[in-house]
Amino acid sequence: MYASKLEKCLHLKAGYETPKARLNQIEGDNIWQTVITGSQDVEIGKLIQSLNNSDWVNAGRRFIKADSDVCPFCQKHTIDESFHKQIREFFDREYEVKINEIKKYENEYRENAQQIIQSLQAVLEMEQEMKIGKLDAEVFQMKIKFLQNVFEDNIQNIVLKQNEPGRKIELKNWDDEIDKLSAMIKRAKEKIDEHNSLVEHSDDAITELTNDIWKYCITEEKALIESYQKGQKGLTDGLKNIVKLKNEIRREIDILDKIIEEKSKIGCEKI
């Protein structure tokens, strides 16, 4: 009756809670809304701040050669040791710490975002192989792609902040999208749990089903048997009535034969 034995399926494991939590921490840092500038304690700092071009100066200072007095901006011989010192003091240790923190965040954000995407892709591939959880692969893939685009936009903004520390940036929120993906995974898990429960109790279920089938067959056959028995009883009763009638007719014929015989004897004696 049963061609093959049911087998349990592996549980879907998303495994993105840890990287998700880390991304939320990075996104919640107030550094993104902080205007990062150099020190105000040096003379040149006041000029840079008044011009609001610390990011521009920071980008250009990498082109200043330690053994050269040529300005990378105007290409004139205006750089002296005092200028070198003020530039170094303007972009002080605190400034460098914040820039390095942003670089660290960029690397962490890329790594954790990639882990989340890979985890979701693994869920999709596992479900497509099992086809038990009834996960809508097309919708699931679209949501993964949307999430991936949000991550890429946020990474671009982090890089922008790194290049322009004085700029405030906004990182996009993606909680709603991950919640929708989690809900889809949860429904798929419930389907798989139902399947595994059925497999776990399959022997009992098969026995119960077999008994139910036999009960059904017996119930249906009982009605047929009773109908047959009633038909048979009707035939038997009819046959008995016919035999009874036949016997009665036979008795009447015997009586008539006797009467005829007696009358025949009386007629012969008169002759």
Side-chain angles (χ1 to χ4, degrees), residues 47 95 146 151 181 245:
L47 174 62
Y95 181 91
F146 179 85
F151 288 155
L181 285 163
L245 180 60

Side-chain angles (χ1 to χ4, degrees), residues 1 60 71 80 83 114 118-119 139 144-145 177 182 203 205 216-217 226 230 244 250 257:
M1 179 180 293
C71 174
D80 57 15
F83 182 83
Q114 184 179 22
Q118 290 176 343
S119 178
V139 173
I144 292 177
K145 183 61 179 177
E177 208 59 33
S182 297
D203 291 339
Y216 174 80
C217 292
E226 288 177 350
K230 288 180 180 179
K244 181 179 179 181
R250 171 59 60 187
D257 286 341

Side-chain angles (χ1 to χ4, degrees), residues 144-155:
I144 292 177
K145 183 61 179 177
F146 179 85
L147 194 62
Q148 193 170 17
N149 290 338
V150 172
F151 288 155
E152 290 174 356
D153 288 344
N154 283 346
I155 290 171

Side-chain angles (χ1 to χ4, degrees), residues 27 35 78 96 105 125 141 169 177 182-183 192 223 235 256:
E27 292 164 350
V35 176
T78 58
E96 292 296 335
Y105 278 164
E125 291 172 4
Q141 184 65 64
I169 65 168
E177 208 59 33
S182 297
I192 293 173
L235 291 174
L256 291 174

Side-chain angles (χ1 to χ4, degrees), residues 209-227:
L209 177 60
T210 303
N211 292 336
D212 288 343
I213 291 174
W214 279 115
K215 288 178 181 178
Y216 174 80
C217 292
I218 291 171
T219 301
E220 290 297 309
E221 290 298 325
K222 182 179 180 181
L224 292 174
I225 292 170
E226 288 177 350
S227 176

